[in-house]
Amino acid sequence: MKTENIKPFDGQHCETTATGTLLLKLGIELSEPMLFGLGEGLGFIFWNMKSMNFPFIGGRVKLDVLTENIARNLVNSKGLAKCKRTY
């Protein structure tokens, strides 16, 4: 499939940038923080293991889960039903 007239989304994270680009093609323009929030991307873990010299502190969802969450939350909020379709 050939896609024309793609306006790239200017993001810092690979998954929100790719998802943001696809949503722009559908006429949905959201900021990267909004995509991250809709994708439920922020989590928290504090993992202290005896084999490590310092604890691991992290906080992000697994790969591809962010995009799945964005899609689910947009559909649940009826955001996709209101979008301007340009394809």
Side-chain angles (χ1 to χ4, degrees):
M1 174 170 53
K2 184 176 179 182
T3 305
E4 297 179 5
N5 302 323
I6 296 259
K7 178 185 172 190
F9 181 83
D10 185 25
Q12 300 297 313
H13 182 267
C14 58
E15 195 170 354
T16 51
T17 299
T19 304
T21 299
L22 293 172
L23 289 173
L24 280 175
K25 186 67 177 165
L26 292 174
I28 301 171
E29 189 171 349
L30 299 169
S31 67
E32 190 165 38
M34 179 64 81
L35 290 172
F36 198 70
L38 285 170
E40 303 170 21
L42 186 60
F44 180 77
I45 184 171
F46 180 86
W47 188 10
N48 195 7
M49 292 179 49
K50 292 178 182 178
S51 63
M52 294 170 46
N53 294 333
F54 51 87
F56 171 79
I57 301 173
R60 191 174 177 283
V61 295
K62 294 179 184 177
L63 291 176
D64 298 328
V65 173
L66 189 76
T67 301
E68 290 174 16
N69 290 343
I70 291 169
R72 185 188 71 246
N73 287 325
L74 283 175
V75 169
N76 287 344
S77 69
K78 295 183 175 48
L80 288 179
K82 297 177 186 176
C83 78
K84 179 183 84 179
R85 301 202 180 235
T86 58
Y87 55 93

